[in-house]
Amino acid sequence: MLPHSYTTDPQSKSQSLASTILAASSPPQISAACAAVDSFLHHHNPDQSRHFFSIAFPTLICKLFGFDDSSPQNPNSPNGWIDAVFASNDRDFATRVFNLLCPDSVLMQSISAVDRQSLVKYVFPVERLPEWVRFVLQSNRDCRILPDLCPLFKGRVKEDSVKGTSFQIQLNVFEYYMFWFSYYPVCKGNSENPREIAVRKSRRFRLENWTSSIPGFVSAKRGSEQKTECNLYMRLLYAYLRAFVPIYDLTAHQPYRSSLLHYSTIYDGSALLQAEFLVYTLIHFWMVDNDFSPLSVNVCKSFRVSFPFRSVLGETPPTSGLGEVVKLFVKYLNLSAGAVTGGSDLVEYGGSPRWKVSGPVDVVKTREVTGVSSCLVSWNSLIQRPVYRFILRTFLFSPMGVSMKNVSQVLSVWASYMEPWMISLDDFSELDAIGDKPAKISTKEVSQSQACGYSSSWQGYVLSNYLFYNSLVMHFIGFAHKFLHTDGVLIIQMVLKVINVLTSSRELIELLKNVDTVFHSKQAGSGKSMLNSSCKFVPSIREQLQDWEDGLCESDADGSFLHENWNKDLRLFSDGEDGGQQLLQLFILRAESELQTISGDNLANNLQCIDSLKAQVSCLFGGHIIKPMLVTPGVRQCQSRDEIFKPRRVGSCTLADVRYKGDWMKRPISDDEVAWLAKLLVRLSDWLNENLGLNAGENNHLTSTWSYVEVSGDVCGPIETLKMVWCSIGSWLLMWGVAVAGLMRKYGLRVNLRMLASKKVVMVLLLSALFSVLKRVFCFHSV
């Protein structure tokens, strides 16, 4: 018999608890609400607690993340409990909220018990899903194949029983909570940066911008100047990853693995599926989200589907403000790469974790899963493409005026991804300290906790992620050129950070160069043994180039010095004009000029940073690139930015011989130009310059000789006379044309029709044409 206090109506108590949660806004009220939730779940079994999850749990989520819009709030006050903890910077307050939500809390235990019996199901709002999923759910055909396209939605896409023709996402309690948990930083980033999330959408795809209806949410500040001592969200994220996503030893999720008689097959399968679910959820909410190519090209081809996301989402950068959480997520998952490389000289990466277990399975299948788990396939294979496109879209699509803080965070994600050998459990020590008890660390984790430098055991990781060390570097150099004038010192430091990663080990440099040589070699099979061992990775690298940069074209790379077919080749170690060495040289020259224009006492330190960059570039490519710049105190060298921007050599011509190569017409489309007309006129101008020989210098152009045509002295009849007159006129026009072309060639002039694409010129022409048409219409009407 339960005591009388335990047998009261759980439904009415859940309603009362929901009211308590809804009214909690100050730290004392929030602490009291946490204690009330904990007490209620302590004294009710799963069947009784389902009323709590039906009535009070949605309210708890709204208050926890600040999604409550039922009552007006002070715009300057925190909106959710997580924001309140961050604003208060009170460690005891943070501990109370953390103890309510941590993986071993009573709340999480009750969630597991309710989900085990499938007592409660939720429907997640469609307008809060990742953008690409929203568009898929609008098509009945795509909805039916969505579970096959993306494992995250397998078994979770159900037909709406009310509407009948539409589909919805049904989740259990744990999945519902994790969806909201993942959506929180996305919503916060969208609300804090409304100008940076302008997405080009067609009218039929207009969706609800629900965050604008939350009182005070838009004006909430992240408070980057505050201490991060009580960053509750980051510590909850790490706690969930530690509890639900195995890294070093999967047997921790298999308690009866040593005995077949007591082997819990349901527990094993659900634990592995839970880990995969959490990883996919964070990937799609944070990295994929508004990507116009969310899925692998091979996956789309195999299911014969194509999504028009490019026309819907356009050139949209990822949500800003996600760099911090993505970095923690990527660093944690890459700990598994360290476990895989533990005793191997060359580890093969590729494929995806084969942890596809659903429902009760027999012992044979369970033993197969156990065998796969024991070898621990790395999580890196799941995050390669999303992380690459997340970083790439940040560099390519960030608009002018973007926050350099956000770009710096994304750069930090990239740098940590390229150096998994520098990741250890010590990096997460601060996130373990918020709870009452420190996290338990297994013996195997302790042995893996010490980070070290690059060694041959990481060769497989580098080869499988080679684009991060080559192609992505080129994209970033283009970004650095484009945004150098916004914050020159910070951009220089960011470039130096990337080059330092590439030059951190001589062995790593040799590996990167060898793979580049094999990639561009026509006979990949001759030479050193290291080259031969890298040959088998070349096809996968080519496939990754096509897949990871799917949908991108030359127009996306305006300002990044990348030309046609730029996403089909590797050019970091290329000696051409668009190679990494030439572009870094140009960047250093422009950076030196930029620093000279910046007034301040840090000029010497900034120039020292430039000298460090020169040294690292010389180390990467070999040889001395550019001599250090000597600056006399008080005397500054004045030089035009346009002159610094020009390359020192173009082809076989020196700078003095080259005045134009055509690229100046292919500058990014400005706001006062008609885009399609400008592109058309640029192509026409380039064709005329090429055929008239205006692209070649005068010293390379051979003097043309006049050709004469002899005609008979007798001209009979009016027809022959007319022909002779027309030929004379044509010859005179040709002569004048050749003379004008010679003068243009002599003085370095080029045909430039792009000025006709100006909106002012087009408007004048349109008005003139309209006036002429109206004049004729009126004249005809009067007649």
Side-chain angles (χ1 to χ4, degrees):
M1 290 289 295
L2 292 173
H4 178 72
S5 59
Y6 294 168
T7 57
T8 55
D9 184 13
Q11 184 173 359
S12 61
K13 295 190 69 174
S14 298
Q15 293 175 348
S16 175
L17 187 58
S19 301
T20 303
I21 295 172
L22 188 61
S25 57
S26 63
Q29 293 174 338
I30 295 173
S31 300
C34 291
V37 171
D38 192 73
S39 175
F40 178 89
L41 296 176
H42 257 301
H43 299 98
H44 292 81
N45 57 40
D47 187 61
Q48 294 173 326
S49 62
R50 66 178 178 178
H51 296 287
F52 165 80
F53 290 105
S54 300
I55 300 173
F57 190 66
T59 305
L60 176 62
I61 289 179
C62 289
K63 295 297 295 184
L64 178 63
F65 300 115
F67 299 152
D68 178 30
D69 58 347
S70 59
S71 59
Q73 299 178 5
N74 183 4
N76 297 322
S77 65
N79 300 282
W81 292 3
I82 292 180
D83 294 330
V85 170
F86 190 83
S88 67
N89 204 24
D90 185 350
R91 190 175 187 83
D92 294 335
F93 178 37
T95 302
R96 295 189 191 99
V97 181
F98 179 84
N99 290 337
L100 173 68
L101 304 170
C102 65
D104 56 351
S105 64
V106 179
L107 176 62
M108 284 296 171
Q109 293 175 5
S110 300
I111 289 176
S112 300
V114 170
D115 286 342
R116 199 175 296 117
Q117 301 179 26
S118 299
L119 297 178
V120 179
K121 289 288 184 180
Y122 296 97
V123 175
F124 194 80
V126 175
E127 60 270 18
R128 275 71 158 175
L129 290 169
E131 288 202 46
W132 75 272
V133 181
R134 304 180 202 174
F135 301 137
V136 169
L137 290 177
Q138 295 179 3
S139 171
N140 290 336
R141 178 186 176 276
D142 295 340
C143 285
R144 299 183 188 278
I145 63 174
L146 179 61
D148 297 324
L149 291 173
C150 183
L152 175 61
F153 301 99
K154 190 174 184 62
R156 300 179 177 94
V157 179
K158 306 293 183 181
E159 191 170 357
D160 192 345
S161 58
V162 178
K163 297 182 180 180
T165 56
S166 61
F167 289 82
Q168 57 189 11
I169 305 298
Q170 294 186 8
L171 307 170
N172 61 26
V173 183
F174 176 81
E175 296 166 352
Y176 187 71
Y177 171 74
M178 285 303 171
F179 264 47
W180 283 114
F181 182 82
S182 304
Y183 182 70
Y184 168 74
V186 179
C187 178
K188 196 172 183 65
N190 289 341
S191 300
E192 292 178 355
N193 302 274
R195 295 182 180 180
E196 297 180 11
I197 58 170
V199 181
R200 297 183 304 175
K201 299 186 176 88
S202 60
R203 294 182 178 179
R204 60 175 179 165
F205 285 131
R206 286 182 179 176
L207 299 174
E208 172 191 2
N209 187 12
W210 74 281
T211 56
S212 60
S213 63
I214 303 176
F217 196 75
V218 177
S219 60
K221 296 183 180 180
R222 186 175 297 274
S224 58
E225 69 278 0
Q226 295 182 358
K227 298 180 181 179
T228 58
E229 182 179 353
C230 293
N231 194 336
L232 178 63
Y233 186 87
M234 294 290 290
R235 284 165 175 166
L236 283 174
L237 172 61
Y238 178 66
Y240 294 148
L241 291 174
R242 282 291 304 270
F244 304 122
V245 182
I247 294 296
Y248 292 108
D249 191 5
L250 287 183
T251 57
H253 292 259
Q254 301 168 3
Y256 305 110
R257 182 170 178 240
S258 59
S259 173
L260 291 179
L261 296 178
H262 300 88
Y263 199 72
S264 175
T265 59
I266 299 178
Y267 184 80
D268 289 340
S270 62
L272 297 178
L273 285 177
Q274 193 177 57
E276 191 179 57
F277 164 81
L278 182 56
V279 171
Y280 273 117
T281 299
L282 299 180
I283 286 175
H284 283 277
F285 270 95
W286 292 349
M287 302 180 208
V288 180
D289 191 17
N290 56 358
D291 191 353
F292 58 81
S293 178
L295 304 175
S296 172
V297 175
N298 292 333
V299 171
C300 294
K301 286 182 179 179
S302 61
F303 288 95
R304 298 180 180 179
V305 294
S306 61
F307 303 115
F309 293 149
R310 182 57 190 265
S311 60
V312 175
L313 297 174
E315 300 171 1
T316 309
T319 302
S320 61
L322 293 179
E324 190 178 7
V325 292
V326 171
K327 181 181 178 180
L328 174 60
F329 177 57
V330 170
K331 286 182 65 175
Y332 179 81
L333 292 187
N334 269 352
L335 284 173
S336 65
V340 171
T341 59
S344 167
D345 291 336
L346 181 60
V347 178
E348 301 261 354
Y349 285 79
S352 60
R354 307 296 183 182
W355 298 344
K356 313 286 187 181
V357 186
S358 58
V361 291
D362 54 29
V363 176
V364 177
K365 291 183 179 180
T366 305
R367 294 180 64 181
E368 292 177 358
V369 174
T370 305
V372 175
S373 303
S374 61
C375 69
L376 189 60
V377 180
S378 172
W379 287 109
N380 181 262
S381 56
L382 282 184
I383 64 175
Q384 284 179 322
R385 188 181 193 272
V387 172
Y388 185 88
R389 291 190 64 88
F390 175 81
I391 301 171
L392 176 61
R393 291 189 299 125
T394 301
F395 293 154
L396 285 187
F397 302 148
S398 291
M400 298 303 296
V402 67
S403 172
M404 286 294 110
K405 176 185 176 182
N406 176 61
V407 178
S408 180
Q409 290 178 346
V410 175
L411 180 77
S412 182
V413 174
W414 179 26
S416 63
Y417 188 91
M418 288 195 295
E419 290 187 305
W421 45 85
M422 300 301 296
I423 303 175
S424 68
L425 285 176
D426 297 335
D427 299 338
F428 308 100
S429 58
E430 295 182 358
L431 301 176
D432 281 328
I434 191 172
D436 294 334
K437 299 179 181 179
K440 295 181 180 179
I441 302 177
S442 64
T443 305
K444 180 143 188 176
E445 289 176 338
V446 172
S447 64
Q448 297 284 348
S449 63
Q450 299 298 327
C452 56
Y454 175 82
S455 62
S456 58
S457 61
W458 290 97
Q459 182 176 342
Y461 179 90
V462 174
L463 292 175
S464 64
N465 296 277
Y466 187 76
L467 296 189
F468 286 89
Y469 302 86
N470 193 308
S471 179
L472 197 54
V473 177
M474 294 296 295
H475 292 296
F476 175 69
I477 295 174
F479 171 86
H481 274 284
K482 182 178 179 181
F483 288 88
L484 178 60
H485 297 318
T486 59
D487 192 341
V489 177
L490 179 59
I491 295 296
I492 294 170
Q493 293 174 351
M494 293 166 67
V495 174
L496 179 60
K497 182 176 182 179
V498 173
I499 302 300
N500 282 337
V501 172
L502 299 179
T503 58
S504 60
S505 170
R506 173 58 58 181
E507 190 176 358
L508 176 60
I509 297 176
E510 293 298 326
L511 176 62
L512 297 178
K513 290 183 176 180
N514 290 334
V515 175
D516 186 83
T517 302
V518 173
F519 185 89
H520 294 95
S521 176
K522 296 182 179 179
Q523 296 179 353
S526 60
K528 301 179 181 179
S529 58
M530 182 177 294
L531 296 180
N532 294 331
S533 64
S534 304
C535 289
K536 56 185 177 181
F537 287 91
V538 172
S540 64
I541 293 175
R542 295 187 187 276
E543 183 179 354
Q544 287 172 352
L545 269 174
Q546 298 297 319
D547 183 22
W548 295 1
E549 300 189 2
D550 174 55
L552 302 176
C553 58
E554 185 181 2
S555 62
D556 300 330
D558 286 339
S560 64
F561 307 98
L562 300 172
H563 306 294
E564 295 180 0
N565 298 326
W566 54 270
N567 61 328
K568 299 178 182 178
D569 198 2
L570 303 176
R571 305 196 178 186
L572 177 60
F573 297 100
S574 173
D575 296 331
E577 302 164 9
D578 54 354
Q581 183 172 349
Q582 294 290 336
L583 295 182
L584 283 172
Q585 275 189 340
L586 177 60
F587 175 81
I588 292 174
L589 290 175
R590 293 186 61 209
E592 287 179 338
S593 176
E594 183 70 20
L595 292 180
Q596 295 300 311
T597 62
I598 300 176
S599 60
D601 300 331
N602 295 326
L603 179 60
N605 295 333
N606 296 336
L607 292 179
Q608 185 178 4
C609 184
I610 287 287
D611 291 338
S612 300
L613 179 59
K614 292 178 182 178
Q616 295 303 319
V617 170
S618 301
C619 179
L620 179 62
F621 296 102
H624 201 72
I625 303 299
I626 301 176
K627 295 181 180 180
M629 185 178 183
L630 299 178
V631 179
T632 304
V635 179
R636 295 182 180 178
Q637 299 179 0
C638 297
Q639 196 171 8
S640 173
R641 286 180 175 178
D642 295 334
E643 294 298 327
I644 289 296
F645 188 81
K646 294 179 180 179
R648 296 187 303 168
R649 291 188 66 86
V650 179
S652 59
C653 306
T654 60
L655 180 60
D657 299 329
V658 178
R659 298 182 182 179
Y660 169 77
K661 187 174 172 57
D663 292 342
W664 63 279
M665 284 194 302
K666 297 180 181 179
R667 62 190 182 276
I669 303 297
S670 60
D671 295 335
D672 60 345
E673 290 181 316
V674 180
W676 66 268
L677 184 58
K679 294 179 181 179
L680 178 63
L681 294 177
V682 164
R683 293 182 181 179
L684 180 59
S685 302
D686 189 59
W687 180 82
L688 290 173
N689 291 326
E690 185 69 25
N691 286 271
L692 293 177
L694 301 180
N695 286 338
E698 185 181 13
N699 55 348
N700 293 335
H701 182 74
L702 298 178
T703 303
S704 59
T705 58
W706 293 97
S707 58
Y708 299 91
V709 179
E710 294 184 0
V711 296
S712 59
D714 299 331
V715 178
C716 302
I719 298 179
E720 293 186 1
T721 303
L722 187 61
K723 286 183 179 180
M724 185 185 68
V725 172
W726 281 112
C727 290
S728 300
I729 295 175
S731 62
W732 277 100
L733 292 176
L734 179 62
M735 182 182 67
W736 279 106
V738 172
V740 171
L743 290 175
M744 293 178 65
R745 194 179 303 111
K746 179 179 180 180
Y747 293 102
L749 301 177
R750 301 295 182 265
V751 177
N752 180 16
L753 302 176
R754 181 169 176 172
M755 62 184 66
L756 300 178
S758 173
K759 292 182 179 179
K760 296 180 181 179
V761 175
V762 173
M763 184 60 65
V764 170
L765 294 176
L766 289 177
L767 290 177
S768 301
L770 181 61
F771 178 77
S772 177
V773 171
L774 292 176
K775 182 179 179 181
R776 292 189 178 185
V777 169
F778 285 129
C779 291
F780 178 79
H781 181 71
S782 61
V783 172

